[in-house]
Amino acid sequence: RKEVEQDPGPFNVPEGATVAFNCTYSNSASQSFFWYRQDCRKEPKLLMSVYSSGNEDGRFTAQLNRASQYISLLIRDSKLSDSATYLCVVTNNKLIFGAGTRLAVHP
Amino acid sequence: NAGVTQTPKFQVLKTGQSMTLQCAQDMNHEYMSWYRQDPGMGLRLIHYSVGAGITDQGEVPNGYNVSRSTTEDFPLRLLSAAPSQTSVYFCASRNSWRANSGNTIYFGEGSWLTVV
């Protein structure tokens, strides 16, 4: 079993849709969690950190459920520019990435 | 502030050749790591380091060596290149190796390696 697993995608949604991604992790000792965005042929870039209490940044909301060992990302009012691959990242003494979920937003 | 600098950006190797991918960061980060990214596989950890003189293996270390003689540099060496090592390689750094530090991860721009 992989340490970090994500919804495989791709998610194809129209502009304005709400879309949610999930990510599960196997190491209960994991302590920090992030969502990264990666555009085609580019390096990953931080979208947001994920805190135990949940956090929101504009149209993006991240949640952490330690009991069930998963994190989620909700994107409201999707834009064409949101099309990318979304990677969840979990840390214990090293950084472990999920395989990524591809999002394609169409007009 | 240059951040994380990776070189070369593109490289073609013949099977059996050796080469070194360079990675340098100017942020005095403790933690540095190398990943490879293949289609549908996400980023897989090759090797990582939590400080100068300390390295450890990640998920896919075979065929690669690393060293961390200084805080700034973390080169990745391919000992005898194989077609299976054709991939995109990313170097990443983070201020602290501590799991609960919450520090942002900084990436280099990637190195596209083709082994023929």
Side-chain angles (χ1 to χ4, degrees):
Chain A
R1 181 189 172 188
K2 292 183 179 178
E3 284 195 61
V4 178
E5 299 201 65
Q6 291 187 240
D7 288 346
F11 286 66
N12 294 297
V13 303
E15 278 187 287
T18 296
V19 62
F21 306 140
N22 288 323
C23 171
T24 59
Y25 60 95
S26 61
N27 188 340
S28 60
S30 301
Q31 298 198 41
S32 295
F33 308 89
F34 306 88
W35 283 103
Y36 272 70
R37 170 195 169 123
Q38 186 176 27
D39 295 295
C40 187
R41 300 181 70 82
K42 297 286 189 182
E43 74 273 22
K45 293 188 176 174
L46 179 66
L47 180 65
M48 58 197 304
S49 302
V50 187
Y51 303 117
S52 297
S53 55
N55 48 298
E56 188 173 307
D57 182 2
R59 298 181 293 108
F60 299 85
T61 301
Q63 297 276 354
L64 166 64
N65 185 318
R66 286 190 182 273
S68 300
Q69 294 182 203
Y70 77 84
I71 64 174
S72 63
L73 177 68
L74 182 77
I75 305 175
R76 291 181 298 277
D77 189 22
S78 299
K79 311 290 185 193
L80 294 175
S81 58
D82 293 334
S83 297
T85 297
Y86 292 83
L87 306 168
C88 74
V89 182
V90 171
T91 70
N92 33 66
N93 65 335
K94 53 193 176 189
L95 307 171
I96 304 295
F97 285 77
T101 300
R102 173 129 171 76
L103 172 66
V105 182
H106 57 82
Chain B
N1 189 341
V4 179
T5 303
Q6 259 184 263
T7 56
K9 182 117 179 156
F10 299 99
Q11 182 72 51
V12 179
L13 284 178
K14 293 183 179 178
T15 298
Q17 285 185 316
S18 62
M19 77 156 297
T20 299
L21 298 177
Q22 302 290 345
C23 177
Q25 51 89 10
D26 60 0
M27 298 171 281
N28 200 33
H29 283 176
E30 287 184 341
Y31 181 96
M32 296 185 74
S33 54
W34 276 102
Y35 295 85
R36 61 176 289 172
Q37 186 172 34
D38 302 295
M41 301 291 290
L43 278 79
R44 291 185 292 168
L45 183 63
I46 304 172
H47 287 284
Y48 66 101
S49 168
V50 298
I54 306 169
T55 63
D56 206 347
Q57 295 182 351
E59 184 185 355
V60 287
N62 292 339
Y64 307 94
N65 270 359
V66 291
S67 59
R68 185 95 181 269
S69 56
T70 66
T71 300
E72 294 77 20
D73 300 300
F74 191 46
L76 178 73
R77 282 180 285 279
L78 281 71
L79 308 172
S80 177
S84 61
Q85 293 179 303
T86 294
S87 190
V88 182
Y89 292 84
F90 288 101
C91 179
S93 75
R94 188 173 185 230
N95 184 30
S96 170
W97 60 267
R98 292 170 181 78
N100 61 354
S101 71
N103 296 136
T104 300
I105 308 155
Y106 293 83
F107 284 90
E109 294 185 335
S111 297
W112 273 254
L113 177 66
T114 300
V115 183
V116 297

